[in-house]
Amino acid sequence: MKVAVAFDHRGVHLREAVLDVLGEHEVLDFGTDTDAVRIDYPDKAREIGEAIQHGRAERGVLVCGSGVGASVAACKMTGIRAAICHDIYSAHQGVEHDDMNVLCLGSEVVGPSLTRELVVAFLNATFDGGERYVARLLKVAEMEQNMKVGGAA
């Protein structure tokens, strides 16, 4: 699987833990590798989102201090279904039921050990494809389309 990863200046503290479990995957690394310079999470969200939108990655892992900003920013992009997951169940269920394609983590919330488990759960999960899940995703896509053209359904 092609996986895009990105870290802001606070999220970089989980960089090693994320990369540790990506050995068998093709990694598209948008950095950063230092906390010496402020890196804004919306910029990293855009890089991951565009990689997924253009087919250069299938999924992404985006890390900031809390995971909140990363998730908010990534979800503004069409076709990106990002969520903060700080527990194993959400990390796999988000893919299985909601076709989540970006896992957002907070470096101030989870440590390296749990990070590894979350990334593995996220990447090992597959979308269920059941009728009710597809119907819900179609509603989400309709919401995205309506917001793009400035109206609400």
Side-chain angles (χ1 to χ4, degrees):
M1 179 183 307
K2 296 177 185 177
V3 181
V5 298
F7 312 84
D8 75 359
H9 61 283
R10 289 177 62 205
V12 72
H13 302 291
L14 289 180
R15 179 180 173 80
E16 265 187 53
V18 170
L19 295 177
D20 280 352
V21 294
L22 296 179
E24 74 272 7
H25 300 284
E26 183 179 331
V27 178
L28 184 57
D29 188 347
F30 290 109
T32 190
D33 60 3
T34 180
D35 63 1
V37 177
R38 190 186 86 210
I39 304 293
D40 292 332
Y41 63 81
D43 299 329
K44 294 301 166 185
R46 179 183 294 267
E47 291 171 335
I48 281 187
E50 288 176 348
I52 292 170
Q53 288 173 331
H54 297 284
R56 295 189 318 269
E58 298 164 69
R59 295 202 192 155
V61 178
L62 180 57
V63 189
C64 69
S66 68
V68 174
S71 178
V72 168
C75 284
K76 298 299 180 190
M77 301 184 70
T78 302
I80 302 304
R81 295 171 301 281
I84 306 167
C85 296
H86 293 146
D87 64 88
I88 303 298
Y89 176 77
S90 298
H92 68 79
Q93 188 271 340
V95 175
E96 294 165 354
H97 293 188
D98 306 305
D99 203 16
M100 177 175 69
N101 53 15
V102 177
L103 173 66
C104 298
L105 301 173
S107 66
E108 304 297 324
V109 181
V110 297
S113 179
L114 181 55
T115 292
R116 289 179 189 93
E117 292 179 44
L118 293 166
V119 172
V120 168
F122 168 65
L123 295 177
N124 285 341
T126 56
F127 179 55
D128 178 276
E131 185 178 330
R132 66 183 173 165
Y133 305 125
V134 171
R136 292 171 185 158
L137 287 175
L138 290 172
K139 288 180 180 186
V140 171
E142 181 182 348
M143 289 169 58
E144 284 179 339
Q145 183 60 37
N146 287 337
M147 294 301 112
K148 253 198 278 191
V149 296

